[in-house]
Amino acid sequence: MNYIENIYICLMAPLLISLVCVRGRGRFLVLFLLGGMTVCLLSSYISTFISSVKGADILAASMEISPMVEEVMKFLPIAFYIIVFEPERENVIDGILTTAIGFATFENVCYLTQNGASEMLHLIIRGFGTGAMHIVCAAIMALGLRALWNRGIVLPAGMIGLIAVDATFHGIYNILVSQTGGVVIAGYLIPIITAVILAVANRKYLMGH
């Protein structure tokens, strides 16, 4: 068992224990947080396997393989929730965002463990940038589902399209932050700025309804 599984167990344990104490919406959010962390762990296995089969190096895998694998995996808990429980639209949106939070948190902790904490400024910038990237992808999915929710057969097709958009955004982010100089800064800033824009747009939408 390597470090990534050890981290998963340490983070998962208190969340599992909390399920005994919390009720209602709190339990709902904890479950999706756990779901996000779990699919993050599984994504690393799947990406590594596909990279090994294709003979891709780390850089190629982060640009071509990981974005699609991670975005598909992040959607699986939501797909299960929709199919099995037939929830209300707003509950699905909250689940999407909470899954992304769990995914981003676990990914950042693993990065910190692997790379150390000597360059604090870089870790802060990366933490906010990567976290914002996953939140933006979740927000794109959430806004898309909000628009397609009552469109019948269009909804499944729309989900596939939204995953493709998320994977593209994710891939562009990975390409930019793998470069040097100002390109890296732009790569970290783009999802942060996009997250702010989406938050403002969503606030205006809610005020209008």
Side-chain angles (χ1 to χ4, degrees), residues 112-135:
L112 172 64
T113 304
Q114 187 177 28
N115 294 279
S118 58
E119 299 181 12
M120 182 58 66
L121 179 59
H122 173 73
L123 287 172
I124 292 173
I125 295 172
R126 186 200 180 278
F128 277 98
T130 301
M133 182 272 293
H134 284 296
I135 296 301

Side-chain angles (χ1 to χ4, degrees), residues 4-181:
I4 191 171
E5 288 87 0
N6 293 336
I7 294 170
Y8 177 76
I9 292 171
C10 290
L11 293 176
M12 176 189 66
L15 292 174
L16 283 176
I17 294 172
S18 73
L19 291 175
V20 179
C21 305
V22 297
R23 294 289 185 273
R25 191 157 190 79
R27 176 174 289 181
F28 168 86
L29 295 175
V30 170
L31 284 171
F32 275 103
L33 195 65
L34 277 168
M37 291 167 50
T38 301
V39 295
C40 184
L41 176 66
L42 295 176
S43 294
S44 69
Y45 294 150
I46 296 171
S47 295
T48 300
F49 174 76
I50 295 175
S51 299
S52 176
V53 171
K54 293 187 63 177
D57 58 24
I58 295 176
L59 185 59
S62 69
M63 296 179 184
E64 301 171 9
I65 298 171
S66 295
M68 180 57 74
V69 170
E70 291 183 10
E71 296 309 323
V72 170
M73 292 299 292
K74 278 193 290 186
F75 184 69
L76 291 183
I78 304 303
F80 176 81
Y81 183 51
I82 292 173
I83 293 171
V84 175
F85 296 99
E86 299 181 355
E88 296 293 327
R89 182 181 63 180
E90 294 307 315
N91 286 338
V92 172
I93 291 174
D94 289 344
I96 292 171
L97 293 171
T98 308
T99 299
I101 292 169
F103 194 106
T105 300
F106 186 72
E107 187 175 80
N108 276 338
V109 172
C110 290
Y111 181 88
L112 172 64
T113 304
Q114 187 177 28
N115 294 279
S118 58
E119 299 181 12
M120 182 58 66
L121 179 59
H122 173 73
L123 287 172
I124 292 173
I125 295 172
R126 186 200 180 278
F128 277 98
T130 301
M133 182 272 293
H134 284 296
I135 296 301
V136 166
C137 289
I140 291 171
M141 178 65 69
L143 293 172
L145 289 181
R146 176 181 282 167
L148 298 170
W149 189 252
N150 294 316
R151 299 297 181 87
I153 193 63
V154 177
L155 180 60
M159 290 177 179
I160 295 173
L162 290 168
I163 291 173
V165 172
D166 283 349
T168 301
F169 185 87
H170 191 155
I172 292 172
Y173 171 83
N174 284 359
I175 291 172
L176 293 176
V177 300
S178 67
Q179 306 303 311
T180 58

